[in-house]
């Protein structure tokens, strides 16, 4: 997760990581960016050269592979705009955007706002957020943070902000159900 690992000096993704981490310090600034300024950093790793390379590697006999990755890369680029909309009020966005959020096709305002509150332990998905409840319930991101820490000793930025979150994760308490933590062995 670019929220929790790396920094501006990280190869290839450093500028994206710095932007995401800076966003947590001043989340409202995303609403002040125009479309091109908001998405261009994601066009580098997920733009046309990547899609063309995947299509060439997949070859003409695998059009669904090309379609999948074209859709994935498009949504990845647009995720930054979806994310921006989640920080805007209904009156600041068009009725179409409000309907997309109401139908759950793009991330809704309230669930994403929860992502910005301590202890920063969930709601990481910013395309539609549809996966957030199940991923948070079973503690997928805590499990991955624990695995990263076991492999190389690197702590999640969320752990640095919330020592209790770190302690729970290192004890294997990954999941959360209705305000109650569930231990996973």
């Amino acid at each position: 997760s670019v929220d929790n690992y790396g920094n501006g000096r990280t190869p290839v993704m450093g500028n994206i990581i710095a932007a995401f981490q800076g966003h947590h310090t001043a989340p409202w600034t995303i609403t002040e960016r125009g479309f091109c300024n908001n998405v261009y950093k994601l066009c580098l790793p997920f733009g046309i050269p990547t899609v063309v390379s995947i299509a060439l590697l997949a070859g003409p006999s695998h059009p669904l592979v090309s379609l999948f990755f074209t859709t994935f890369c498009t949504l990845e680029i647009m995720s930054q705009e979806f994310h921006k909309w989640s920080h805007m009020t209904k009156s600041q966005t068009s009725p179409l955007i409000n309907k997309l959020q109401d139908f759950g096709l793009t991330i809704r305002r309230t669930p994403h706002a929860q992502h910005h509150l301590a202890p920063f332990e969930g709601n990481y998905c910013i395309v539609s957020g549809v996966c957030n409840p199940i991923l948070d319930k079973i503690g997928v991101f805590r499990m991955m943070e624990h695995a990263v820490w076991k492999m190389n000793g690197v702590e999640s930025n969320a752990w640095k902000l919330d020592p209790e979150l770190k302690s729970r994760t290192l004890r294997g308490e990954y999941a959360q159900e209705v305000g109650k933590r569930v231990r996973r062995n």
Side-chain angles (χ1 to χ4, degrees):
S1 163
V2 294
D3 285 342
N4 281 314
Y5 295 98
N7 58 43
R9 296 181 311 277
T10 301
V12 181
M13 301 288 284
N15 64 345
I16 295 169
I17 293 169
F20 264 84
Q21 291 175 358
H23 168 70
H24 280 252
T25 306
W28 66 90
T29 61
I30 193 172
T31 66
E32 298 169 358
R33 296 185 204 137
F35 175 79
C36 291
N37 185 24
N38 196 30
V39 303
Y40 83 92
K41 290 180 181 179
L42 289 170
C43 288
L44 300 174
F46 298 105
I48 293 170
T50 300
V51 172
V52 169
S53 297
I54 291 169
L56 290 173
L57 289 170
S61 60
H62 300 289
L64 292 179
V65 171
S66 298
L67 177 62
F68 171 82
F69 281 103
T70 299
T71 303
F72 174 84
C73 289
T74 300
L75 287 173
E76 181 64 32
I77 291 167
M78 286 302 297
S79 71
Q80 192 62 353
E81 197 69 4
F82 301 159
H83 182 205
K84 177 174 93 174
W85 299 338
S86 74
H87 284 279
M88 300 169 78
T89 64
K90 283 190 173 212
S91 65
Q92 292 175 307
T93 56
S94 74
L96 174 62
I97 292 168
N98 292 329
K99 286 292 180 201
L100 291 172
Q101 288 180 330
D102 291 344
F103 292 135
L105 297 174
T106 64
I107 186 74
R108 294 179 174 139
R109 292 168 180 88
T110 301
H112 184 65
Q114 293 169 346
H115 167 75
H116 284 276
L117 301 174
F120 313 107
E121 63 180 335
N123 293 296
Y124 285 107
C125 302
I126 63 169
V127 172
S128 73
V130 72
C131 296
N132 281 329
I134 188 69
L135 294 176
D136 293 345
K137 182 177 181 180
I138 61 177
V140 168
F141 295 105
R142 299 295 79 77
M143 288 181 213
M144 290 192 300
E145 289 171 358
H146 199 175
V148 167
W149 183 81
K150 283 180 176 178
M151 284 188 283
N152 61 25
V154 175
E155 294 185 7
S156 159
N157 288 337
W159 292 8
K160 296 169 189 169
L161 297 171
D162 185 355
E164 177 54 30
L165 178 61
K166 175 183 177 181
S167 296
R168 287 194 319 264
T169 302
L170 292 178
R171 287 192 306 264
E173 297 172 8
Y174 306 129
Q176 183 175 353
E177 280 188 64
V178 194
K180 182 173 124 181
R181 312 237 184 276
V182 179
R183 184 173 174 81
R184 300 279 183 202
N185 293 325

